[in-house]
Amino acid sequence: MTKVTVRLSKDSYDINIGTGILKQTGTLLKEAGFTGKTVIITNPSLKKLYADNLAEKLSGEGFKVAILEVPEGEEYKSLETAGRLYQQLTDFFAERLTPIIALGGGVIGDLAGFVAATYLRGVPLIQVPTTLLSQVDSSIGGKVAVNHGQMKNKIGAFYQPRMVISDIATLQSLTAEDFADGLAEAIKHGFIRDKEYFAYIEDNLDRIKYLDVEALEKVVTGSARIKGTVVAEDERDFGLRNILNYGHTIGHAIESVSEFDLVHGQAVAIGMLVAARISNRMGFLETHEVDRMKAVIEKAGLPTKMPELEIKALLDSMKHDKKITSGRIKFVLLKSIGEVFVTDEVDLSLVEQVIREGN
Ligand SMILES: NC(=O)c1ccc[n+]([C@@H]2O[C@H](COP(=O)([O-])OP(=O)(O)OC[C@H]3O[C@@H](n4cnc5c(N)ncnc54)[C@H](O)[C@@H]3O)[C@@H](O)[C@H]2O)c1
């Protein structure tokens, strides 16, 4: 098992990464000082796949376990679901030191994290991410949230987990689309911070795609190190964390204008290439680097071509995106692979031109 520590000013925590480590959850909980009750929040399919076994194992180790099920889907990441979970926690007599285990992808992680942050003003949160996206991204960094009406992820908190347990074996049951979605974020980590990590993904993409556990462990560990370091430097998202939005300004616009025809990772993949071309046109990233980036995105099973969308709508959507300061769009760009910077000096006519030219 590999441990990556997220070093915060207070309450640092470990990301435990390994294959088949779900069964060590009880030991890890006990090592952290937890005994007695624990609650697993998950969805019905993950209950059958993983949570029932985990609950049985934990019961055998002396824990009193409740599994709380949330129906599958982003629409259940809501205040209404949180309300139902608070009631179920009360019925189980969950206490201040009863850890909540969030077992699932980013939807479960965000929702269960929000409930853990608010129930009794905060109970311990254990993130057990089961999608590639949640292992490389959403389980790290303490952003927990629910959606409310049109407000996506706007009702939430910064609430760091006590530990993360990333079992690589759980990735075997993901659909190819969900897997590629997470891979987009892992590739992004290489683009923005680490050219050797990017080169590893580039050289091992076949092994990664065919779910070779050793290669996957390297990817989850590499991304956990990168995201963990960025979060440690900017826990409350006042500055550096912005670099994690590479490809996201354009990606969010594509998602919204296409009315979510493309899933997040697909939109971000296209957004990352548009941002690469903008970087290149502004005299930074070299053309051969853009070509390398495109080749990896393509081989990862992600789209590279901008879909047919109205350019004005895309630009309007970018202007409405949250990353606007005093009327200028903040762009995350690359100087080279592994070297990122943030600027509000990008001419919107250049963005339009690059989108028109296509990737
Ligand atoms: N908190 C953060 O920092 C952060 C960062 C990025 C995204 N997010 C949030 O994460 C969510 C998206 O997360 P996601 O991509 O993991 O999607 P998800 O949680 O919806 O999971 C995708 C699908 O995979 C299924 N699944 C999960 N694990 C599985 C497994 N091991 N085997 C088979 N199926 C499995 C789920 O049931 C679901 O149907 C969004 O709500 C987004 O807002 C949060």
Side-chain angles (χ1 to χ4, degrees), residues 40-176:
I40 302 172
I41 298 182
T42 193
N43 72 25
S45 41
L46 294 169
K47 177 176 180 291
K48 277 200 211 97
L49 278 169
Y50 305 110
D52 283 338
N53 281 344
L54 175 60
E56 202 181 308
K57 181 91 176 42
L58 288 171
S59 299
E61 290 168 321
F63 288 93
K64 183 165 186 238
V65 190
I67 300 182
L68 306 184
E69 278 181 73
V70 173
E72 194 158 330
E74 177 80 28
E75 66 272 31
Y76 292 99
K77 202 176 105 178
S78 65
L79 284 171
E80 200 185 357
T81 313
R84 200 167 48 77
L85 290 167
Y86 297 140
Q87 186 56 53
Q88 291 174 315
L89 286 166
T90 308
D91 295 344
F92 183 61
F93 300 105
E95 294 153 6
R96 286 292 295 278
L97 288 177
T98 304
I100 289 185
I101 300 175
L103 190 147
V107 167
I108 291 290
D110 281 11
L111 169 72
F114 178 80
V115 167
T118 46
Y119 181 71
L120 301 178
R121 298 188 186 85
V123 298
L125 169 65
I126 314 293
Q127 288 280 13
V128 181
T130 60
T131 59
L132 185 58
L133 181 126
S134 54
Q135 293 191 354
V136 301
D137 187 0
S138 61
S139 66
I140 308 163
K143 283 190 182 175
V144 297
V146 291
N147 305 321
H148 188 55
Q150 294 305 306
M151 296 188 284
K152 185 161 159 47
N153 290 333
K154 292 264 165 65
I155 312 294
F158 286 97
Y159 193 69
Q160 301 290 345
R162 295 290 285 269
M163 71 178 84
V164 181
I165 303 171
S166 286
D167 187 341
I168 302 297
T170 60
L171 302 179
Q172 303 289 335
S173 50
L174 281 180
T175 63

Side-chain angles (χ1 to χ4, degrees), residues 4 37 302:
V4 174
K37 286 181 194 156
L302 290 159

Side-chain angles (χ1 to χ4, degrees), residues 187-202:
I187 292 169
K188 176 196 76 183
H189 289 140
F191 286 166
I192 61 170
R193 270 253 149 151
D194 190 336
K195 63 176 189 299
E196 275 156 32
Y197 176 57
F198 169 72
Y200 179 82
I201 296 180
E202 187 178 39

Side-chain angles (χ1 to χ4, degrees), residues 6 8 11 13 125 140-142 158-162 231 235 241:
V6 181
L8 303 174
D11 301 330
Y13 58 94
L125 169 65
I140 308 163
F158 286 97
Y159 193 69
Q160 301 290 345
R162 295 290 285 269
V231 164
E235 193 181 339
R241 266 175 102 144

